[in-house]
Amino acid sequence: NAGVMQNPRHLVRRRGQEARLRCSPMKGHSHVYWYRQLPEEGLKFMVYLQKENIIDESGMPKERFSAEFPKEGPSILRIQQVVRGDSAAYFCASSLRTGENTEAFFGQGTRLTVV
Amino acid sequence: RKEVEQDPGPFNVPEGATVAFNCTYSNSASQSFFWYRQDCRKEPKLLMSVYSSGNEDGRFTAQLNRASQYISLLIRDSKLSDSATYLCVVNHSGAGSYQLTFGKGTKLSVIP
């Protein structure tokens, strides 16, 4: 049973380009979360999705960032017109359910570098 | 006040030592508590959940004090492989959402 798969592992973009980060949850998991970790900082919640639905996007920047989790295929975190401050590690996690003591499993992350 | 606060360390301890990490959280409605471990440039991995009655997993013991909003992790007989950053994590589900809030982590280096 493969874990949470993220690709690419490393992504370099020039300022103004678009970045697309992909996440395939663990088999059977329908809950997906995206987190961002800036250098020397803790992980910050961005968005929580279930299949075809955004449940909570309270951690998403208001502009340039969007996320989806289509019926078929991986979850996508999309960053338009990237800026240097977007450089970070982006982690995706998935869980089988939500609620007390639910374990979330993390992917290996995508390290985005904006040059 | 930050939602989850930890001493960033680093804690440099010799092999075999006992080391304790503390964490405080601000949201009294938090429901679930965890310790995750993160190795350098890797993803966080669950170390253990933390239960109100306290729980132990081998050399690791976790305690929760809801009244003081305080969580602890004790590592006995430290191994070199325990060197990592330990993340205190709390969850509060509400309005149908599920969010994990992470502390910045406490860095541990176990020295030969």
Side-chain angles (χ1 to χ4, degrees), chain B residues 56-107:
Chain B
E56 187 174 308
D57 183 0
R59 299 181 293 108
F60 299 85
T61 301
Q63 298 277 354
L64 168 65
N65 184 322
R66 283 187 186 267
S68 301
Q69 295 179 203
Y70 171 93
I71 307 162
S72 66
L73 176 68
L74 183 77
I75 305 175
R76 291 181 298 278
D77 189 23
S78 300
K79 311 290 184 192
L80 294 176
S81 58
D82 293 334
S83 296
T85 297
Y86 290 83
L87 307 174
C88 178
V89 184
V90 306
N91 153 251
H92 44 271
S93 300
S97 184
Y98 181 82
Q99 284 192 27
L100 295 177
T101 301
F102 284 77
K104 286 189 177 182
T106 299
K107 187 171 182 180

mmCIF file of all heavy atoms in Angstrom, chain B residues 56-107:
data_model
loop_
_atom_site.group_PDB
_atom_site.id
_atom_site.type_symbol
_atom_site.label_atom_id
_atom_site.label_comp_id
_atom_site.label_asym_id
_atom_site.label_seq_id
_atom_site.Cartn_x
_atom_site.Cartn_y
_atom_site.Cartn_z
ATOM 1 N N GLU B 56 2.351 5.391 26.862
ATOM 2 C CA GLU B 56 3.756 5.028 26.714
ATOM 3 C C GLU B 56 3.897 4.124 25.498
ATOM 4 O O GLU B 56 3.028 3.279 25.226
ATOM 5 C CB GLU B 56 4.205 4.296 27.977
ATOM 6 C CG GLU B 56 5.677 4.002 28.062
ATOM 7 C CD GLU B 56 6.045 3.413 29.426
ATOM 8 O OE1 GLU B 56 5.688 4.005 30.454
ATOM 9 O OE2 GLU B 56 6.665 2.325 29.434
ATOM 10 N N ASP B 57 4.991 4.302 24.779
ATOM 11 C CA ASP B 57 5.288 3.432 23.635
ATOM 12 C C ASP B 57 6.789 3.184 23.665
ATOM 13 O O ASP B 57 7.568 4.018 23.202
ATOM 14 C CB ASP B 57 4.862 4.106 22.332
ATOM 15 C CG ASP B 57 5.088 3.208 21.127
ATOM 16 O OD1 ASP B 57 5.578 2.062 21.296
ATOM 17 O OD2 ASP B 57 4.791 3.635 19.994
ATOM 18 N N GLY B 58 7.172 2.082 24.265
ATOM 19 C CA GLY B 58 8.591 1.779 24.387
ATOM 20 C C GLY B 58 9.309 2.826 25.220
ATOM 21 O O GLY B 58 8.941 3.071 26.376
ATOM 22 N N ARG B 59 10.272 3.480 24.625
ATOM 23 C CA ARG B 59 11.066 4.474 25.358
ATOM 24 C C ARG B 59 10.402 5.842 25.416
ATOM 25 O O ARG B 59 10.953 6.765 26.021
ATOM 26 C CB ARG B 59 12.438 4.606 24.680
ATOM 27 C CG ARG B 59 13.260 3.336 24.667
ATOM 28 C CD ARG B 59 14.623 3.534 24.003
ATOM 29 N NE ARG B 59 14.517 3.805 22.564
ATOM 30 C CZ ARG B 59 14.748 4.992 22.019
ATOM 31 N NH1 ARG B 59 15.093 6.021 22.763
ATOM 32 N NH2 ARG B 59 14.641 5.141 20.704
ATOM 33 N N PHE B 60 9.269 5.969 24.823
ATOM 34 C CA PHE B 60 8.586 7.265 24.701
ATOM 35 C C PHE B 60 7.341 7.293 25.582
ATOM 36 O O PHE B 60 6.529 6.377 25.561
ATOM 37 C CB PHE B 60 8.172 7.512 23.249
ATOM 38 C CG PHE B 60 9.325 7.552 22.283
ATOM 39 C CD1 PHE B 60 9.832 6.381 21.745
ATOM 40 C CD2 PHE B 60 9.916 8.751 21.946
ATOM 41 C CE1 PHE B 60 10.906 6.414 20.858
ATOM 42 C CE2 PHE B 60 10.984 8.799 21.065
ATOM 43 C CZ PHE B 60 11.487 7.627 20.522
ATOM 44 N N THR B 61 7.215 8.386 26.345
ATOM 45 C CA THR B 61 6.046 8.585 27.191
ATOM 46 C C THR B 61 5.473 9.970 26.923
ATOM 47 O O THR B 61 6.214 10.958 26.949
ATOM 48 C CB THR B 61 6.405 8.461 28.687
ATOM 49 O OG1 THR B 61 6.956 7.166 28.928
ATOM 50 C CG2 THR B 61 5.168 8.654 29.557
ATOM 51 N N ALA B 62 4.181 10.031 26.695
ATOM 52 C CA ALA B 62 3.515 11.309 26.443
ATOM 53 C C ALA B 62 2.507 11.576 27.551
ATOM 54 O O ALA B 62 1.856 10.660 28.052
ATOM 55 C CB ALA B 62 2.820 11.273 25.088
ATOM 56 N N GLN B 63 2.401 12.843 27.916
ATOM 57 C CA GLN B 63 1.454 13.254 28.952
ATOM 58 C C GLN B 63 0.666 14.452 28.454
ATOM 59 O O GLN B 63 1.187 15.283 27.705
ATOM 60 C CB GLN B 63 2.197 13.662 30.231
ATOM 61 C CG GLN B 63 3.010 12.559 30.888
ATOM 62 C CD GLN B 63 2.151 11.661 31.779
ATOM 63 O OE1 GLN B 63 0.972 11.929 31.985
ATOM 64 N NE2 GLN B 63 2.750 10.598 32.293
ATOM 65 N N LEU B 64 -0.569 14.545 28.910
ATOM 66 C CA LEU B 64 -1.444 15.660 28.552
ATOM 67 C C LEU B 64 -2.072 16.216 29.817
ATOM 68 O O LEU B 64 -2.581 15.457 30.638
ATOM 69 C CB LEU B 64 -2.544 15.170 27.599
ATOM 70 C CG LEU B 64 -3.724 16.121 27.344
ATOM 71 C CD1 LEU B 64 -3.254 17.380 26.636
ATOM 72 C CD2 LEU B 64 -4.801 15.406 26.518
ATOM 73 N N ASN B 65 -2.035 17.519 29.978
ATOM 74 C CA ASN B 65 -2.713 18.192 31.082
ATOM 75 C C ASN B 65 -3.673 19.201 30.467
ATOM 76 O O ASN B 65 -3.271 20.290 30.062
ATOM 77 C CB ASN B 65 -1.699 18.884 31.995
ATOM 78 C CG ASN B 65 -2.343 19.510 33.216
ATOM 79 O OD1 ASN B 65 -3.440 20.065 33.137
ATOM 80 N ND2 ASN B 65 -1.672 19.420 34.349
ATOM 81 N N ARG B 66 -4.931 18.820 30.373
ATOM 82 C CA ARG B 66 -5.911 19.691 29.713
ATOM 83 C C ARG B 66 -6.142 20.976 30.497
ATOM 84 O O ARG B 66 -6.358 22.031 29.915
ATOM 85 C CB ARG B 66 -7.244 18.956 29.535
ATOM 86 C CG ARG B 66 -7.247 17.952 28.407
ATOM 87 C CD ARG B 66 -8.638 17.398 28.187
ATOM 88 N NE ARG B 66 -8.671 16.323 27.216
ATOM 89 C CZ ARG B 66 -8.912 16.499 25.935
ATOM 90 N NH1 ARG B 66 -9.124 17.707 25.452
ATOM 91 N NH2 ARG B 66 -8.938 15.463 25.107
ATOM 92 N N ALA B 67 -6.092 20.894 31.817
ATOM 93 C CA ALA B 67 -6.351 22.085 32.643
ATOM 94 C C ALA B 67 -5.291 23.150 32.387
ATOM 95 O O ALA B 67 -5.592 24.347 32.306
ATOM 96 C CB ALA B 67 -6.383 21.691 34.117
ATOM 97 N N SER B 68 -4.051 22.707 32.232
ATOM 98 C CA SER B 68 -2.954 23.651 32.002
ATOM 99 C C SER B 68 -2.656 23.831 30.521
ATOM 100 O O SER B 68 -1.792 24.638 30.160
ATOM 101 C CB SER B 68 -1.685 23.159 32.706
ATOM 102 O OG SER B 68 -1.912 23.017 34.088
ATOM 103 N N GLN B 69 -3.332 23.043 29.680
ATOM 104 C CA GLN B 69 -3.122 23.094 28.233
ATOM 105 C C GLN B 69 -1.644 22.865 27.910
ATOM 106 O O GLN B 69 -0.989 23.663 27.222
ATOM 107 C CB GLN B 69 -3.650 24.430 27.658
ATOM 108 C CG GLN B 69 -5.154 24.539 27.828
ATOM 109 C CD GLN B 69 -5.766 25.820 27.306
ATOM 110 O OE1 GLN B 69 -6.839 26.219 27.721
ATOM 111 N NE2 GLN B 69 -5.115 26.485 26.394
ATOM 112 N N TYR B 70 -1.191 21.734 28.368
ATOM 113 C CA TYR B 70 0.235 21.409 28.362
ATOM 114 C C TYR B 70 0.415 19.958 27.954
ATOM 115 O O TYR B 70 -0.325 19.072 28.403
ATOM 116 C CB TYR B 70 0.727 21.649 29.797
ATOM 117 C CG TYR B 70 2.108 21.209 30.135
ATOM 118 C CD1 TYR B 70 3.174 22.083 30.033
ATOM 119 C CD2 TYR B 70 2.342 19.923 30.610
ATOM 120 C CE1 TYR B 70 4.455 21.684 30.382
ATOM 121 C CE2 TYR B 70 3.618 19.514 30.959
ATOM 122 C CZ TYR B 70 4.668 20.399 30.853
ATOM 123 O OH TYR B 70 5.906 20.014 31.199
ATOM 124 N N ILE B 71 1.400 19.738 27.076
ATOM 125 C CA ILE B 71 1.686 18.390 26.586
ATOM 126 C C ILE B 71 3.176 18.150 26.769
ATOM 127 O O ILE B 71 3.975 19.082 26.602
ATOM 128 C CB ILE B 71 1.339 18.273 25.087
ATOM 129 C CG1 ILE B 71 -0.098 18.723 24.817
ATOM 130 C CG2 ILE B 71 1.540 16.852 24.584
ATOM 131 C CD1 ILE B 71 -0.339 19.047 23.358
ATOM 132 N N SER B 72 3.544 16.930 27.077
ATOM 133 C CA SER B 72 4.958 16.636 27.225
ATOM 134 C C SER B 72 5.309 15.332 26.517
ATOM 135 O O SER B 72 4.448 14.482 26.262
ATOM 136 C CB SER B 72 5.333 16.540 28.705
ATOM 137 O OG SER B 72 4.707 15.419 29.304
ATOM 138 N N LEU B 73 6.593 15.204 26.206
ATOM 139 C CA LEU B 73 7.140 13.976 25.631
ATOM 140 C C LEU B 73 8.436 13.669 26.354
ATOM 141 O O LEU B 73 9.305 14.535 26.456
ATOM 142 C CB LEU B 73 7.408 14.148 24.136
ATOM 143 C CG LEU B 73 8.064 12.956 23.437
ATOM 144 C CD1 LEU B 73 7.100 11.766 23.387
ATOM 145 C CD2 LEU B 73 8.510 13.327 22.023
ATOM 146 N N LEU B 74 8.547 12.455 26.842
ATOM 147 C CA LEU B 74 9.753 12.009 27.535
ATOM 148 C C LEU B 74 10.386 10.902 26.718
ATOM 149 O O LEU B 74 9.701 9.950 26.315
ATOM 150 C CB LEU B 74 9.392 11.488 28.929
ATOM 151 C CG LEU B 74 10.557 11.056 29.821
ATOM 152 C CD1 LEU B 74 11.251 12.278 30.387
ATOM 153 C CD2 LEU B 74 10.054 10.159 30.951
ATOM 154 N N ILE B 75 11.664 11.022 26.448
ATOM 155 C CA ILE B 75 12.397 9.982 25.730
ATOM 156 C C ILE B 75 13.461 9.432 26.678
ATOM 157 O O ILE B 75 14.334 10.174 27.157
ATOM 158 C CB ILE B 75 13.083 10.532 24.457
ATOM 159 C CG1 ILE B 75 12.058 11.218 23.552
ATOM 160 C CG2 ILE B 75 13.782 9.397 23.708
ATOM 161 C CD1 ILE B 75 12.686 11.891 22.327
ATOM 162 N N ARG B 76 13.377 8.157 26.936
ATOM 163 C CA ARG B 76 14.362 7.504 27.804
ATOM 164 C C ARG B 76 15.404 6.791 26.955
ATOM 165 O O ARG B 76 15.144 6.375 25.820
ATOM 166 C CB ARG B 76 13.674 6.483 28.718
ATOM 167 C CG ARG B 76 12.781 7.080 29.781
ATOM 168 C CD ARG B 76 12.173 5.972 30.656
ATOM 169 N NE ARG B 76 11.339 5.078 29.851
ATOM 170 C CZ ARG B 76 10.083 5.341 29.516
ATOM 171 N NH1 ARG B 76 9.505 6.457 29.896
ATOM 172 N NH2 ARG B 76 9.399 4.477 28.795
ATOM 173 N N ASP B 77 16.599 6.632 27.527
ATOM 174 C CA ASP B 77 17.667 5.871 26.867
ATOM 175 C C ASP B 77 17.839 6.333 25.414
ATOM 176 O O ASP B 77 17.712 5.545 24.470
ATOM 177 C CB ASP B 77 17.326 4.371 26.925
ATOM 178 C CG ASP B 77 18.475 3.502 26.459
ATOM 179 O OD1 ASP B 77 19.638 3.959 26.500
ATOM 180 O OD2 ASP B 77 18.208 2.351 26.037
ATOM 181 N N SER B 78 18.137 7.597 25.241
ATOM 182 C CA SER B 78 18.219 8.198 23.905
ATOM 183 C C SER B 78 19.181 7.443 22.996
ATOM 184 O O SER B 78 20.266 7.016 23.421
ATOM 185 C CB SER B 78 18.685 9.655 24.014
ATOM 186 O OG SER B 78 17.789 10.410 24.777
ATOM 187 N N LYS B 79 18.766 7.305 21.748
ATOM 188 C CA LYS B 79 19.592 6.678 20.707
ATOM 189 C C LYS B 79 20.014 7.745 19.706
ATOM 190 O O LYS B 79 19.338 8.768 19.533
ATOM 191 C CB LYS B 79 18.796 5.598 19.970
ATOM 192 C CG LYS B 79 18.060 4.597 20.853
ATOM 193 C CD LYS B 79 19.009 3.688 21.563
ATOM 194 C CE LYS B 79 18.235 2.640 22.365
ATOM 195 N NZ LYS B 79 19.128 1.914 23.294
ATOM 196 N N LEU B 80 21.084 7.453 18.985
ATOM 197 C CA LEU B 80 21.522 8.385 17.938
ATOM 198 C C LEU B 80 20.399 8.619 16.933
ATOM 199 O O LEU B 80 20.218 9.732 16.421
ATOM 200 C CB LEU B 80 22.761 7.841 17.222
ATOM 201 C CG LEU B 80 24.035 7.739 18.053
ATOM 202 C CD1 LEU B 80 25.147 7.090 17.235
ATOM 203 C CD2 LEU B 80 24.475 9.098 18.556
ATOM 204 N N SER B 81 19.642 7.574 16.668
ATOM 205 C CA SER B 81 18.561 7.658 15.677
ATOM 206 C C SER B 81 17.379 8.512 16.147
ATOM 207 O O SER B 81 16.473 8.795 15.363
ATOM 208 C CB SER B 81 18.066 6.251 15.328
ATOM 209 O OG SER B 81 17.620 5.586 16.503
ATOM 210 N N ASP B 82 17.394 8.913 17.410
ATOM 211 C CA ASP B 82 16.330 9.802 17.892
ATOM 212 C C ASP B 82 16.570 11.249 17.472
ATOM 213 O O ASP B 82 15.687 12.101 17.649
ATOM 214 C CB ASP B 82 16.233 9.747 19.427
ATOM 215 C CG ASP B 82 15.770 8.402 19.947
ATOM 216 O OD1 ASP B 82 15.066 7.676 19.215
ATOM 217 O OD2 ASP B 82 16.127 8.062 21.101
ATOM 218 N N SER B 83 17.737 11.548 16.941
ATOM 219 C CA SER B 83 18.051 12.916 16.517
ATOM 220 C C SER B 83 17.078 13.332 15.425
ATOM 221 O O SER B 83 16.994 12.693 14.368
ATOM 222 C CB SER B 83 19.486 12.997 15.996
ATOM 223 O OG SER B 83 20.407 12.700 17.022
ATOM 224 N N ALA B 84 16.339 14.394 15.696
ATOM 225 C CA ALA B 84 15.300 14.851 14.776
ATOM 226 C C ALA B 84 14.664 16.092 15.392
ATOM 227 O O ALA B 84 15.041 16.527 16.489
ATOM 228 C CB ALA B 84 14.235 13.779 14.561
ATOM 229 N N THR B 85 13.693 16.642 14.705
ATOM 230 C CA THR B 85 12.874 17.710 15.270
ATOM 231 C C THR B 85 11.533 17.118 15.675
ATOM 232 O O THR B 85 10.895 16.410 14.886
ATOM 233 C CB THR B 85 12.674 18.854 14.252
ATOM 234 O OG1 THR B 85 13.938 19.426 13.944
ATOM 235 C CG2 THR B 85 11.762 19.935 14.821
ATOM 236 N N TYR B 86 11.114 17.398 16.886
ATOM 237 C CA TYR B 86 9.876 16.834 17.429
ATOM 238 C C TYR B 86 8.797 17.913 17.425
ATOM 239 O O TYR B 86 8.969 18.989 17.992
ATOM 240 C CB TYR B 86 10.121 16.274 18.832
ATOM 241 C CG TYR B 86 10.968 15.029 18.750
ATOM 242 C CD1 TYR B 86 12.362 15.124 18.650
ATOM 243 C CD2 TYR B 86 10.386 13.766 18.703
ATOM 244 C CE1 TYR B 86 13.135 13.977 18.511
ATOM 245 C CE2 TYR B 86 11.153 12.625 18.572
ATOM 246 C CZ TYR B 86 12.531 12.744 18.480
ATOM 247 O OH TYR B 86 13.295 11.607 18.329
ATOM 248 N N LEU B 87 7.711 17.593 16.755
ATOM 249 C CA LEU B 87 6.642 18.559 16.528
ATOM 250 C C LEU B 87 5.449 18.245 17.420
ATOM 251 O O LEU B 87 4.931 17.122 17.411
ATOM 252 C CB LEU B 87 6.188 18.508 15.062
ATOM 253 C CG LEU B 87 7.284 18.646 14.008
ATOM 254 C CD1 LEU B 87 6.701 18.434 12.601
ATOM 255 C CD2 LEU B 87 7.925 20.019 14.096
ATOM 256 N N CYS B 88 5.031 19.225 18.173
ATOM 257 C CA CYS B 88 3.820 19.115 18.980
ATOM 258 C C CYS B 88 2.649 19.537 18.095
ATOM 259 O O CYS B 88 2.709 20.601 17.442
ATOM 260 C CB CYS B 88 3.945 20.032 20.190
ATOM 261 S SG CYS B 88 2.521 20.059 21.273
ATOM 262 N N VAL B 89 1.611 18.732 18.047
ATOM 263 C CA VAL B 89 0.513 18.963 17.106
ATOM 264 C C VAL B 89 -0.813 18.834 17.827
ATOM 265 O O VAL B 89 -1.014 17.872 18.587
ATOM 266 C CB VAL B 89 0.577 17.947 15.941
ATOM 267 C CG1 VAL B 89 -0.503 18.240 14.902
ATOM 268 C CG2 VAL B 89 1.952 17.963 15.296
ATOM 269 N N VAL B 90 -1.710 19.776 17.595
ATOM 270 C CA VAL B 90 -3.045 19.688 18.181
ATOM 271 C C VAL B 90 -4.088 19.792 17.073
ATOM 272 O O VAL B 90 -3.830 20.358 16.009
ATOM 273 C CB VAL B 90 -3.291 20.759 19.257
ATOM 274 C CG1 VAL B 90 -2.212 20.727 20.305
ATOM 275 C CG2 VAL B 90 -3.400 22.132 18.646
ATOM 276 N N ASN B 91 -5.230 19.227 17.350
ATOM 277 C CA ASN B 91 -6.320 19.265 16.393
ATOM 278 C C ASN B 91 -7.562 19.824 17.053
ATOM 279 O O ASN B 91 -7.848 19.472 18.197
ATOM 280 C CB ASN B 91 -6.602 17.867 15.872
ATOM 281 C CG ASN B 91 -8.042 17.694 15.431
ATOM 282 O OD1 ASN B 91 -8.817 17.007 16.076
ATOM 283 N ND2 ASN B 91 -8.405 18.357 14.361
ATOM 284 N N HIS B 92 -8.271 20.671 16.329
ATOM 285 C CA HIS B 92 -9.612 21.027 16.768
ATOM 286 C C HIS B 92 -10.518 20.966 15.570
ATOM 287 O O HIS B 92 -10.330 21.660 14.590
ATOM 288 C CB HIS B 92 -9.672 22.403 17.445
ATOM 289 C CG HIS B 92 -8.902 23.469 16.729
ATOM 290 N ND1 HIS B 92 -7.579 23.717 16.977
ATOM 291 C CD2 HIS B 92 -9.270 24.347 15.777
ATOM 292 C CE1 HIS B 92 -7.175 24.704 16.222
ATOM 293 N NE2 HIS B 92 -8.153 25.109 15.484
ATOM 294 N N SER B 93 -11.444 20.060 15.632
ATOM 295 C CA SER B 93 -12.412 19.906 14.548
ATOM 296 C C SER B 93 -13.606 20.786 14.850
ATOM 297 O O SER B 93 -14.054 20.883 15.977
ATOM 298 C CB SER B 93 -12.868 18.454 14.449
ATOM 299 O OG SER B 93 -11.780 17.614 14.186
ATOM 300 N N GLY B 94 -14.096 21.421 13.837
ATOM 301 C CA GLY B 94 -15.274 22.249 14.041
ATOM 302 C C GLY B 94 -15.822 22.682 12.706
ATOM 303 O O GLY B 94 -15.073 22.824 11.745
ATOM 304 N N ALA B 95 -17.119 22.882 12.655
ATOM 305 C CA ALA B 95 -17.779 23.315 11.421
ATOM 306 C C ALA B 95 -17.421 22.385 10.270
ATOM 307 O O ALA B 95 -17.246 22.824 9.132
ATOM 308 C CB ALA B 95 -17.414 24.753 11.082
ATOM 309 N N GLY B 96 -17.279 21.098 10.569
ATOM 310 C CA GLY B 96 -17.011 20.111 9.537
ATOM 311 C C GLY B 96 -15.583 20.065 9.061
ATOM 312 O O GLY B 96 -15.256 19.315 8.152
ATOM 313 N N SER B 97 -14.713 20.877 9.658
ATOM 314 C CA SER B 97 -13.343 20.880 9.187
ATOM 315 C C SER B 97 -12.470 20.034 10.100
ATOM 316 O O SER B 97 -12.898 19.544 11.130
ATOM 317 C CB SER B 97 -12.807 22.313 9.129
ATOM 318 O OG SER B 97 -11.505 22.310 8.587
ATOM 319 N N TYR B 98 -11.264 19.842 9.695
ATOM 320 C CA TYR B 98 -10.287 19.079 10.463
ATOM 321 C C TYR B 98 -8.930 19.694 10.188
ATOM 322 O O TYR B 98 -8.414 19.592 9.086
ATOM 323 C CB TYR B 98 -10.305 17.606 10.034
ATOM 324 C CG TYR B 98 -9.342 16.740 10.806
ATOM 325 C CD1 TYR B 98 -9.691 16.255 12.057
ATOM 326 C CD2 TYR B 98 -8.085 16.423 10.300
ATOM 327 C CE1 TYR B 98 -8.818 15.470 12.784
ATOM 328 C CE2 TYR B 98 -7.214 15.637 11.022
ATOM 329 C CZ TYR B 98 -7.576 15.156 12.259
ATOM 330 O OH TYR B 98 -6.716 14.385 12.982
ATOM 331 N N GLN B 99 -8.365 20.356 11.186
ATOM 332 C CA GLN B 99 -7.079 21.020 11.008
ATOM 333 C C GLN B 99 -6.108 20.549 12.061
ATOM 334 O O GLN B 99 -6.442 20.464 13.242
ATOM 335 C CB GLN B 99 -7.231 22.533 11.194
ATOM 336 C CG GLN B 99 -7.862 23.291 10.072
ATOM 337 C CD GLN B 99 -7.693 24.785 10.258
ATOM 338 O OE1 GLN B 99 -6.752 25.242 10.887
ATOM 339 N NE2 GLN B 99 -8.600 25.562 9.699
ATOM 340 N N LEU B 100 -4.918 20.265 11.629
ATOM 341 C CA LEU B 100 -3.824 20.037 12.560
ATOM 342 C C LEU B 100 -3.023 21.324 12.663
ATOM 343 O O LEU B 100 -2.685 21.929 11.651
ATOM 344 C CB LEU B 100 -2.912 18.912 12.061
ATOM 345 C CG LEU B 100 -3.531 17.516 11.966
ATOM 346 C CD1 LEU B 100 -2.517 16.539 11.378
ATOM 347 C CD2 LEU B 100 -4.019 17.039 13.323
ATOM 348 N N THR B 101 -2.756 21.745 13.902
ATOM 349 C CA THR B 101 -1.939 22.931 14.126
ATOM 350 C C THR B 101 -0.607 22.476 14.697
ATOM 351 O O THR B 101 -0.565 21.788 15.725
ATOM 352 C CB THR B 101 -2.636 23.902 15.092
ATOM 353 O OG1 THR B 101 -3.902 24.274 14.541
ATOM 354 C CG2 THR B 101 -1.797 25.155 15.280
ATOM 355 N N PHE B 102 0.459 22.875 14.038
ATOM 356 C CA PHE B 102 1.797 22.401 14.392
ATOM 357 C C PHE B 102 2.558 23.463 15.167
ATOM 358 O O PHE B 102 2.498 24.653 14.853
ATOM 359 C CB PHE B 102 2.601 22.106 13.121
ATOM 360 C CG PHE B 102 2.222 20.836 12.428
ATOM 361 C CD1 PHE B 102 1.071 20.777 11.654
ATOM 362 C CD2 PHE B 102 3.009 19.703 12.535
ATOM 363 C CE1 PHE B 102 0.713 19.608 11.013
ATOM 364 C CE2 PHE B 102 2.659 18.531 11.888
ATOM 365 C CZ PHE B 102 1.517 18.480 11.126
ATOM 366 N N GLY B 103 3.312 23.010 16.170
ATOM 367 C CA GLY B 103 4.328 23.869 16.739
ATOM 368 C C GLY B 103 5.525 23.917 15.792
ATOM 369 O O GLY B 103 5.609 23.143 14.837
ATOM 370 N N LYS B 104 6.451 24.823 16.080
ATOM 371 C CA LYS B 104 7.625 24.948 15.218
ATOM 372 C C LYS B 104 8.603 23.806 15.406
ATOM 373 O O LYS B 104 9.488 23.608 14.581
ATOM 374 C CB LYS B 104 8.342 26.270 15.475
ATOM 375 C CG LYS B 104 7.639 27.483 14.909
ATOM 376 C CD LYS B 104 8.534 28.710 15.025
ATOM 377 C CE LYS B 104 7.884 29.913 14.407
ATOM 378 N NZ LYS B 104 8.786 31.092 14.474
ATOM 379 N N GLY B 105 8.464 23.095 16.516
ATOM 380 C CA GLY B 105 9.324 21.946 16.725
ATOM 381 C C GLY B 105 10.456 22.205 17.693
ATOM 382 O O GLY B 105 10.892 23.338 17.882
ATOM 383 N N THR B 106 10.905 21.121 18.305
ATOM 384 C CA THR B 106 12.061 21.135 19.199
ATOM 385 C C THR B 106 13.110 20.226 18.593
ATOM 386 O O THR B 106 12.831 19.056 18.337
ATOM 387 C CB THR B 106 11.691 20.625 20.604
ATOM 388 O OG1 THR B 106 10.699 21.484 21.167
ATOM 389 C CG2 THR B 106 12.923 20.604 21.499
ATOM 390 N N LYS B 107 14.278 20.786 18.378
ATOM 391 C CA LYS B 107 15.344 20.015 17.736
ATOM 392 C C LYS B 107 16.145 19.241 18.787
ATOM 393 O O LYS B 107 16.579 19.798 19.786
ATOM 394 C CB LYS B 107 16.279 20.931 16.954
ATOM 395 C CG LYS B 107 17.311 20.186 16.135
ATOM 396 C CD LYS B 107 18.063 21.119 15.225
ATOM 397 C CE LYS B 107 19.066 20.337 14.387
ATOM 398 N NZ LYS B 107 19.837 21.219 13.473
#
